Amino acid sequence: MSDSRELVLVLDFGGQYKELIARAVRGLSVYSEIRPGNMPIEEIKRLSPIGIIMTGGPSSVYQPGSPTCDPAIFGLGIPVLGICYGMHLMCHTLGGEVTAGGAGEYGRVTVTPENPVSTLFHETQGKPFEALMSHRDVVSRLPAGFRQTASTAVCIAACENAEKKLYAVQFHPETKHTDGGSEIFRRFLYEACGAAGSYKLDDYIDTQVGLIRHKVGGGNVLLALSGGVDSSVCASLLSRAVPNQLVCIFVDHGFMRLNEGDEIERVFSKRKLRFIRVNAQERFLKRLDGVADPETKRKLIGEEFVRVFEEESAKLGDVPFLAQGTIYPDIVESGGSYGATIKSHHNVGGLPKNLKFTGVVEPLSGLFKDEVRILGRKLGLPAFLVNRQPFPGPGLAIRVVGDVTEEKLNVLRKADAILREELDGVKNRPDQYFAVLTNTCSVGVKGDERTYSQVIAIRAVITGDFMTCDYAPIPHKTLGCISSRITSEIPSVSRVVYDITSKPPATVEWE
Ligand code: XMP
């Protein structure tokens, strides 16, 4: 990052939505980084941000060991926006009062701005709007110098000390469940922080090509390529920077969708890089034999992947550099902040530190997913790759609930292919959709025969960020068609169900 670049710090107190905040800020043309909430004040001063945003979090300010920040933050003269727990912490630290243990508010709630309208709510012109609330504690007395700027039926929904440029909201403007949330950030950035808004991706490719060449010199670079968006864009960027020095290893673990391994091979065999496909299907299946627990499955697949990759890279001889398609959220996730682990994600980027390489190249590590897609388009990757839906590292192995066998994988592959055929071209296509083999059998009737066979679940979600989602309202006619095709084209399936759960409380994947 150049010293002259405007920076907004997102201080993390364990909130699920910290990345959405940072991405919302970047989407408004201001560079943002997520840092731990207890970041030392000297470090903050050194970075000289134009604004600070304090995230929400699961704690209560009165809980022993709850995350805190250096109180001096509020005296730096830098505008601060506290969100949910960030609001509690700001008010508590500055002498206000937080009351714990009430009934709280969850879901979309009407927020009514107070007069005179806060600069944050100018876009709503003081009219009530719907906002996502997810809190138990509330601010019950404001610190000296603060005024209430919005309320709900049960709480102080926002407050501020405009003179000191300290702002706080109880709700979550970073989620799409809050109407006009982006405008609230825009007003904070451009009115309170006086941002110029100069952050853009245009010069990213040239800068990275230069940095990669400088770092690797004449050395060879090895990339673990999954065919997903991140590793594909990484491969493309590297093949532009060091085309004759790049080797891409694609480990086919056998948990890919129908024909997917061949498609990946077809695309990358044509590009300016050395492409090696490792067919490791059998050894992965053997490793998972009889394993039903989701977390164990994820761990074993991750470990086996590393083993295969180590073996293959050893065969190559002199390759001093490892490239990884790590993106910014991967770095934030592994930063060891205050959040709770919900699932351990496996990516091809998740390689151990003891691999023997002189250096690691991670040219996408400053970017969010949608920024990576923009870059992919600029690099000329085909649309089907750039717009690809997320596909988990452990692949179909975590979409077969319980233990995994080749037979089950084949059933799931067929069902998934039918689902994709039916949904790929529809208007208002869901953001992610796939089939799940539920590991449940049910009674059915085919012809005049009683059957007792597998239940397939369809999962289709609407989401912008893949961190929260709503189930997709697929028309019943389409659902009926999918169900009828799956049950008639796959003999061992006699029932199809549709998953109508949002996230939270469910997750996108079943395991
Ligand atoms: P969950 O199930 O956590 O999924 O709600 C959120 C998004 O992440 C994808 N996902 C993964 N991606 N490695 C990945 O690269 C993984 O292990 C993994 N698990 C889930 C999921 O498909 C959804 O888009």
Side-chain angles (χ1 to χ4, degrees):
M1 192 187 119
S2 85
D3 288 338
S4 59
R5 179 147 62 170
E6 285 179 334
L7 167 70
V8 163
L9 280 181
V10 177
L11 294 187
D12 174 25
F13 296 99
Q16 297 268 327
Y17 306 132
K18 55 185 180 276
E19 289 161 23
L20 299 187
I21 299 172
R23 184 62 197 106
V25 173
R26 288 194 190 185
L28 292 161
S29 306
V30 178
Y31 184 71
S32 62
E33 282 187 10
I34 302 166
R35 298 297 181 99
N38 59 0
M39 183 180 190
I41 194 77
E42 288 313 319
E43 181 65 3
I44 294 179
K45 282 189 196 160
R46 193 185 64 74
L47 292 172
S48 180
I50 62 163
I52 294 172
I53 301 178
M54 300 165 69
T55 74
S59 309
S60 168
V61 286
Y62 297 116
Q63 238 170 283
S66 59
T68 53
C69 61
D70 191 320
I73 283 178
F74 304 112
L76 291 175
I78 298 172
V80 183
L81 172 63
I83 297 175
C84 196
Y85 182 82
M87 172 175 180
H88 303 162
L89 190 58
M90 180 189 288
C91 292
H92 177 65
T93 308
L94 295 174
E97 196 172 288
V98 175
T99 300
E105 287 172 304
Y106 300 92
R108 267 162 70 85
V109 170
T110 304
V111 169
T112 307
E114 309 273 332
N115 278 319
V117 179
S118 161
T119 183
L120 296 190
F121 305 135
H122 269 197
E123 290 303 314
T124 70
Q125 296 167 337
K127 295 208 180 81
F129 58 93
E130 299 294 299
L132 182 81
M133 288 285 187
S134 181
H135 68 102
R136 187 171 289 261
D137 294 5
V138 291
V139 171
S140 45
R141 184 167 45 80
L142 296 176
F146 276 63
R147 74 174 181 102
Q148 181 167 341
T149 53
S151 58
T152 69
V154 301
C155 78
I156 298 175
C159 62
E160 68 188 28
N161 180 336
E163 197 187 319
K164 296 203 164 142
K165 300 204 169 172
L166 302 177
Y167 304 85
V169 291
Q170 178 59 74
F171 55 89
H172 291 272
E174 67 274 27
T175 78
K176 65 177 171 48
H177 302 290
T178 293
D179 296 338
S182 173
E183 280 308 319
I184 291 174
F185 284 117
R186 196 178 65 75
R187 306 247 356 147
F188 175 68
L189 296 172
Y190 288 91
E191 301 304 322
C193 306
S198 52
Y199 174 64
K200 56 183 184 340
L201 275 176
D202 288 358
D203 44 2
Y204 196 91
I205 297 174
D206 290 343
T207 313
Q208 283 301 323
V209 165
L211 286 173
I212 293 165
R213 284 183 184 152
H214 178 71
K215 177 153 192 177
V216 309
N220 288 328
V221 184
L222 183 62
L223 172 72
L225 181 70
S226 69
V229 180
D230 305 339
S231 63
S232 299
V233 174
C234 189
S236 190
L237 190 54
L238 282 157
S239 76
R240 185 173 286 202
V242 286
N244 301 318
Q245 295 156 244
L246 177 63
V247 187
C248 294
I249 294 185
F250 163 51
V251 177
D252 188 344
H253 52 25
F255 307 132
M256 308 299 280
R257 290 164 288 195
L258 196 68
N259 304 326
E260 197 169 22
D262 298 341
E263 273 173 31
I264 292 167
E265 183 168 359
R266 190 171 44 77
V267 170
F268 286 97
S269 309
K270 286 189 204 139
R271 297 186 84 89
K272 281 188 191 160
L273 45 86
R274 190 170 154 210
F275 178 85
I276 298 171
R277 175 175 180 172
V278 186
N279 288 310
Q281 295 91 333
E282 265 179 43
R283 63 186 282 180
F284 274 89
L285 257 188
K286 216 162 137 198
R287 193 78 202 279
L288 285 196
D289 190 26
V291 180
D293 174 62
E295 276 301 283
T296 314
K297 277 164 44 176
R298 282 173 174 273
K299 254 179 76 194
L300 289 177
I301 294 167
E303 281 168 18
E304 195 64 13
F305 178 86
V306 169
R307 223 158 276 156
V308 176
F309 191 78
E310 275 173 334
E311 286 168 23
E312 291 302 319
S313 59
K315 289 182 200 162
L316 288 171
D318 182 30
V319 182
F321 292 95
L322 175 71
Q324 305 197 102
T326 316
I327 64 170
Y328 191 50
D330 301 334
I331 301 215
V332 173
E333 293 294 325
S334 55
S337 48
Y338 309 102
T341 300
I342 293 171
K343 284 176 194 178
S344 49
H345 275 210
H346 157 68
N347 293 308
V348 289
L351 295 169
K353 298 203 168 42
N354 62 355
L355 281 176
K356 292 175 199 65
F357 290 96
T358 312
V360 175
V361 186
E362 294 179 318
L364 308 180
S365 63
L367 300 182
F368 283 101
K369 189 70 142 201
D370 53 342
E371 294 177 306
V372 173
R373 288 190 210 277
I374 295 169
L375 203 68
R377 276 179 218 119
K378 286 181 190 290
L379 286 162
L381 276 173
F384 87 87
L385 258 183
V386 172
N387 300 332
R388 205 163 218 208
Q389 294 177 23
F391 186 62
L396 298 186
I398 55 157
R399 292 179 181 170
V400 168
V401 175
D403 69 312
V404 183
T405 64
E406 184 61 37
E407 201 187 347
K408 290 182 185 176
L409 284 167
N410 281 333
V411 171
L412 179 59
R413 267 191 205 105
K414 284 187 204 150
D416 190 69
I418 292 171
L419 175 69
R420 283 188 292 137
E421 272 172 34
E422 292 299 323
L423 290 184
D424 276 353
V426 298
K427 223 170 81 188
N428 300 327
R429 207 175 66 143
D431 296 301
Q432 187 175 6
Y433 41 93
F434 52 87
V436 175
L437 191 75
T438 61
N439 199 26
T440 304
C441 285
S442 80
V443 174
V445 54
K446 278 191 175 177
D448 289 331
E449 301 269 312
R450 175 191 189 273
T451 57
Y452 185 60
S453 46
Q454 290 285 356
V455 179
I456 285 282
I458 296 170
R459 183 69 164 142
V461 297
I462 305 288
T463 174
D465 50 55
F466 298 92
M467 298 177 75
T468 62
C469 76
D470 292 319
Y471 77 89
I474 300 179
H476 282 191
K477 200 170 157 203
T478 314
L479 284 172
C481 175
I482 293 166
S483 166
S484 134
R485 274 197 64 193
I486 290 178
T487 48
S488 58
E489 291 175 35
I490 311 173
S492 58
V493 178
S494 57
R495 192 179 297 267
V496 175
V497 296
Y498 188 37
D499 179 350
I500 52 165
T501 337
S502 297
K503 172 185 178 178
T507 52
V508 176
E509 303 287 346
W510 276 38
E511 288 200 330

